[in-house]
Amino acid sequence: MKALVLSGGAGTRLRPITHTSAKQLVPVANKAVLFYGLESIAEAGITEVGMIVGETAAEIEEAVGDGSKFGLDVTYIPQERPLGLAHAVLIARDYLGDDDFVMYLGDNFIVGGITGLVEEFRGNRPDAQILLTRVADPRAFGVAELDPSGQVIGLEEKPDQPKSDLALVGVYMFTPLIHEAVRAIEPSWRGELEITHAIQHLIDSRADVRSTVIKGYWKDTGNVGDMLEVNRTVLEAMERRIDGDVDDASETIGRVVLEEGARIMGSRVVGPVVIGSGTVVSNSYIGPFTSVAENCRITDSELEFSIVLRDSSIQGVGRIESSLIGRHVEVTPAPSVPSAHRLVLGDHSKVQITS
């Protein structure tokens, strides 16, 4: 069994971060989202991975390499434009051959991995197996309709009137029969080859399409809110580890991970928090659910429920929370200017000013 990992896409919902960085490489708990998926694939016993890459291919290839550090053998498959998930299957046909495969969206996050799901698929070997989870607003997802017995009878992509609250999770398992389906469908109104349409083609052809409703934690990390929520979830599972330096004027409370080479001086850090190597925190407060990457400077500031990427500095700005701060960012106080009112008033005006 192989894996097809989708790592293209523009990541428009994470801009401006993704103007200069692949969305799959934005870190949660100081590790790229993509890496969690690759580790899950390796843990499931899959070693051959085809990786769909687009305009951020160079960055993805630099980060992942040949895959050996994950125990994988990675082959890169270029996609000129993001033309849909089914299009990714279409262009990966030669690589996938006649093997079964799991398709994994590189910006998705599943707590607990996929080992049990892959073993279930290998044991039963339906033509396709999809993962579902209940969501509050299914209009933003592919949505499945099940009959009373739990059989999949229909799929819709981002419907205005969803027939259920069951959204497709970004992990799919297929036999080679899917290749016939992706060749049979037409582009949607979005101009994309939708994987939901390909699976619907299998259903209409009376193929064996099964579903599993997962009860574990799943997130599509496509926006800042979801990134922060995944970061919180990962940090909650971490154990305390202090490999860096903490001076006598500082206090670390709870599950704090301080990497080697990091320093805390005259500060208070309340976990769960991870602070990367080379980062210096001085005269500051770092609150729960915060990840600070390597080589950052946090001075005279407060930071909570946030992600700070590498080589950034935050100095003297009071409190920051619920924020995603990119690489090589400088956050400083605005210059102090005299307070004044500037007015252009017409004849017979009446103005009340509160100083």
Side-chain angles (χ1 to χ4, degrees), residues 30 275-279 292-297 308-312:
N30 286 2
I275 298 174
S277 61
T279 287
V292 183
E294 64 272 20
N295 300 319
C296 292
R297 296 291 181 270
V308 182
L309 276 57
R310 60 178 174 85
D311 301 306
S312 292

Side-chain angles (χ1 to χ4, degrees), residues 174-299:
F174 297 115
T175 67
L177 192 61
I178 191 65
H179 297 299
E180 176 186 329
V182 298
R183 289 195 302 269
I185 62 175
E186 298 292 333
S188 68
W189 62 269
R190 301 193 300 170
E192 297 185 2
L193 292 176
E194 311 284 1
I195 198 66
T196 47
H197 293 178
I199 299 171
Q200 184 66 53
H201 179 85
L202 293 178
I203 296 170
D204 295 341
S205 303
R206 300 188 180 278
D208 185 6
V209 177
R210 302 186 189 182
S211 67
T212 300
V213 179
I214 64 171
K215 296 181 173 62
Y217 183 85
W218 164 79
K219 275 289 184 184
D220 168 5
T221 59
N223 60 54
V224 173
D226 287 339
M227 288 291 303
L228 294 173
E229 185 64 21
V230 171
N231 189 63
R232 180 191 65 79
T233 300
V234 176
L235 290 176
E236 283 184 331
M238 285 190 165
E239 298 295 330
R240 179 181 173 88
R241 176 168 54 85
I242 305 295
D243 294 333
D245 297 323
V246 181
D247 72 4
D248 293 339
S250 297
E251 183 180 27
T252 61
I253 300 171
R255 287 166 290 174
V256 175
V257 175
L258 188 67
E259 300 289 355
E260 186 175 356
R263 290 184 294 156
I264 299 177
M265 301 179 297
S267 298
R268 188 167 187 259
V269 180
V270 179
V273 165
V274 60
I275 298 174
S277 61
T279 287
V280 177
V281 178
S282 58
N283 303 316
S284 295
Y285 166 77
I286 308 293
F289 312 122
T290 300
S291 297
V292 183
E294 64 272 20
N295 300 319
C296 292
R297 296 291 181 270
I298 312 295
T299 306

Side-chain angles (χ1 to χ4, degrees), residues 92-145:
R93 180 67 177 93
D94 290 343
Y95 172 79
L96 295 169
D98 293 325
D99 291 314
D100 296 348
F101 66 98
V102 55
M103 184 167 76
Y104 197 115
L105 274 59
D107 60 352
N108 275 226
F109 184 90
I110 299 178
V111 169
I114 60 171
T115 299
L117 301 165
V118 170
E119 289 175 352
E120 179 184 350
F121 176 78
R122 282 172 162 156
N124 299 322
R125 202 169 180 266
D127 297 309
Q129 185 162 340
I130 60 176
L131 306 186
L132 306 173
T133 190
R134 299 192 183 278
V135 296
D137 185 3
R139 292 174 298 176
F141 303 94
V143 176
E145 181 183 5

